Amino acid sequence: MHNTVHFILQGKGGIGKTLVSTVLAQWLATKDTLPLRCYDTDQENATFSRYKALHVKHVPVMTDTRNIDPKRFDALMIDLLEHEGNCVVDNGANTFSPLMGYLLENDCFDMLKESGRKVYIHTIVGGGDTLHDTAMGFVSTAKSTNVPLVLWENEHFGLLQSATGKKFTESQTYADNAGRVAGRVVLTHRNADTFGAERVRGNRAFSAAAWIEADARIGSGPPLVPDDAFERLVVGAADVMEIGRVHRAHQHADTDLSVGRFRPR
């Protein structure tokens, strides 16, 4: 994977954008010989930039009047366009609408593609009480852009299903936009007590409360993961909203190829 630009975009606050950015950045860092470049455009909660090992550059793209600062944004675009390698751009809820509007108004996605960059938008849909708002954000992003989407399904707040039990991926809302989805990643919620105890008994060095499950072949176009059908990733920390280290799990797993799930046995 080379010369890709990954925007993490979702208007809902606290849904896991920094978690996604951090997991994605650690994975991408192993996919190219050139250094990965990471940017945090969150104006107020620049959490991504605090991960020093990732060398994240904080780019506050908004002015005090809550508008996009053209000079700051242009500096970011020049950086994305003039240097080779993969990039991750994290975005905060407070800058989502202005940034998305500016990206579309100035044809930034097309500009990046014309320069030889492969662009992805990573959007997060959460379960429980966050489902409605985040699902609407997914629809809005799908309808306003022509960029391949990577859907992250975050079960930390509950399963992604309606009150009647229908899964989000079985809903008409998803079906209407499924053709835009290049890949899906499921953040599976785990019981920290039972999953942690089981992990300790197995003497594994995983401080994990969630398995990251990636389907590399969903949708049309080139695979999101070129070297393997599935990348098996584990994120650290008892709370899935706090990211630790990323590990590969090569054993003790079942893989359901139809939905891209990867679960410990």
Side-chain angles (χ1 to χ4, degrees), residues 8-12 91-101 137 140-141:
I8 290 75
L9 297 171
Q10 169 58 260
K12 179 74 172 177
N91 176 245
N94 55 352
T95 54
F96 170 74
S97 293
L99 182 60
M100 178 63 91
S140 175
T141 300

Side-chain angles (χ1 to χ4, degrees), residues 34-171:
L34 295 174
L36 174 70
R37 303 195 310 285
C38 299
Y39 307 88
D40 190 344
T41 63
D42 195 318
Q43 198 80 3
E44 297 172 356
N45 301 302
T47 310
F48 189 36
S49 66
R50 296 173 191 154
Y51 291 93
K52 302 303 181 184
L54 296 175
H55 306 290
V56 182
K57 182 178 181 181
H58 185 214
V59 185
V61 293
M62 285 202 309
T63 65
D64 293 338
T65 58
R66 317 296 291 182
N67 295 313
I68 296 296
D69 185 324
K71 290 184 178 180
R72 294 177 184 174
F73 182 83
D74 288 350
L76 171 61
M77 282 296 294
I78 290 171
D79 216 24
L80 296 176
L81 290 166
E82 291 190 348
H83 300 283
E84 299 289 302
N86 298 313
C87 305
V88 175
V89 183
D90 189 20
N91 176 245
N94 55 352
T95 54
F96 170 74
S97 293
L99 182 60
M100 178 63 91
Y102 199 86
L103 287 166
L104 294 172
E105 181 181 347
N106 292 278
D107 297 321
C108 295
F109 296 129
D110 290 336
M111 189 184 306
L112 288 166
K113 287 188 284 187
E114 290 169 4
S115 71
R117 272 65 181 169
K118 180 66 177 178
V119 182
Y120 293 94
I121 291 178
H122 295 252
T123 184
I124 307 161
V125 174
D129 293 340
T130 70
L131 179 58
H132 179 268
D133 290 346
T134 54
M136 291 303 97
F138 163 75
V139 171
S140 175
T141 300
K143 291 187 179 301
S144 62
T145 73
N146 59 1
V147 178
L149 303 181
V150 179
L151 172 63
W152 292 70
E153 302 168 42
N154 188 356
E155 297 180 353
H156 176 69
F157 304 98
L159 296 177
L160 277 70
Q161 62 184 32
S162 67
T164 60
K166 177 178 284 189
K167 295 180 180 179
F168 171 68
T169 51
E170 298 172 350
S171 68

Side-chain angles (χ1 to χ4, degrees), residues 20-30 36 38 48 54 88:
V20 169
S21 298
T22 310
V23 170
L24 180 63
Q26 292 179 78
W27 180 78
L28 280 171
T30 69
L36 174 70
C38 299
F48 189 36
L54 296 175
V88 175

